[in-house]
Amino acid sequence: MAFMTTVLAASLALTPGLSTLSTTDSTSPQGTQHSAVTVTETFRTTAGSGYGAVTYDPKSVPPGSRVEVRERTSDRGTWFELRLAGVQAGRTFGAHVHQKPCGTDSATSGGGHYQNVKDPVQPSVDPAYANARNEAWLDLTTDARGNGRSQTSVRWRVRDGEARSVVVHERATDTRPGKAGTAGARLACVNVPFV
C-alpha cells in the first residue's frame, strides 16, 4: 500500500502548482468504482482541436495557468474535482459542468449547464433545476498564489455524451429564484471527456 501511495503522490506531483489528493479522501464516491477521468491542461488564448483549455479573460485566468478536472463514478453517483493554479489570487470563481465543448466565443462556450433532470425552460434559472444537487457546481476561492480546489459529489451519473466541459465564471453561483445557477461571464473553459 505504501508503494501505491508513493506512486500516486509522485504522479500527482508532476502537476505543477496543484496539491495532491489523499488516497483516503472521504469525499470520493462510496461504493464500487466504475470509471475515472482526469484532465490536466494549460490555459491558452485560443481553443485548439481535441481536448484543451482556453481562457477568455487573460487578467483573471492568464495563459499558462493550469487546470485539472477529475471525475470518478461509482454505483452511488459521481464525484467531481476542479483545481486551478496560477489564476487571479484571492478571488471566488463560479464553475460548473457544461453540456458542450469549449469554443472561441466566450458568451456561448460550453453551452448550458449539464442537468441531471433537465429544466424544460432554457436557460435554466429555476432553483428547482438550477441547484447543486441537479447540476455539478465547483465554485472555488483562490489563495494568495492563485491556486484553488473544489469538489462535489452527486447521486447521479452523467448521461453519455451530454457533458463535455467545465466552464469557469466570474463570480460565485447565484441561488436566488430567477438567477439560480448564474455566475456571470465565462472566463475560461476546459474540455473533459466525462464518462
Side-chain angles (χ1 to χ4, degrees):
M1 178 65 173
F3 174 74
M4 192 151 100
T5 302
T6 302
V7 171
L8 176 64
S11 68
L12 292 174
L14 297 175
T15 309
L18 299 179
S19 58
T20 60
L21 174 67
S22 166
T23 58
T24 58
D25 189 343
S26 63
T27 60
S28 296
Q30 302 299 309
T32 304
Q33 183 171 320
H34 294 283
S35 304
V37 170
T38 298
V39 172
T40 302
E41 291 285 349
T42 300
F43 285 109
R44 304 182 194 308
T45 54
T46 57
S49 62
Y51 298 113
V54 62
T55 178
Y56 307 112
D57 184 345
K59 179 182 173 198
S60 302
V61 182
S65 58
R66 304 211 23 103
V67 60
E68 185 170 282
V69 176
R70 295 173 180 233
E71 176 198 27
R72 304 285 183 268
T73 66
S74 78
D75 55 351
R76 296 189 184 172
T78 308
W79 172 81
F80 300 93
E81 179 183 42
L82 171 65
R83 296 180 189 202
L84 297 176
V87 299
Q88 190 173 26
R91 178 171 180 176
T92 298
F93 294 92
H96 318 102
V97 171
H98 279 246
Q99 298 170 0
K100 296 182 180 179
C102 303
T104 56
D105 180 5
S106 65
T108 59
S109 185
H113 293 186
Y114 176 86
Q115 294 183 319
N116 182 48
V117 177
K118 295 178 184 180
D119 186 342
V121 177
Q122 294 293 324
S124 180
V125 291
D126 180 348
Y129 296 94
N131 63 64
R133 293 172 313 284
N134 194 45
E135 300 181 351
W137 292 2
L138 292 158
D139 293 15
L140 59 81
T141 300
T142 55
D143 63 17
R145 295 185 319 192
N147 300 337
R149 173 180 178 254
S150 64
Q151 60 188 358
T152 190
S153 291
V154 292
R155 294 182 182 214
W156 43 263
R157 293 181 61 187
V158 172
R159 291 179 297 277
D160 188 38
E162 292 191 32
R164 306 294 296 279
S165 63
V166 170
V167 173
V168 178
H169 294 268
E170 71 177 321
R171 63 178 178 268
T173 306
D174 204 317
T175 58
R176 296 174 292 168
K179 295 186 180 283
T182 62
R186 298 168 197 225
L187 304 180
C189 182
V190 57
N191 290 314
V192 182
F194 291 106
V195 292

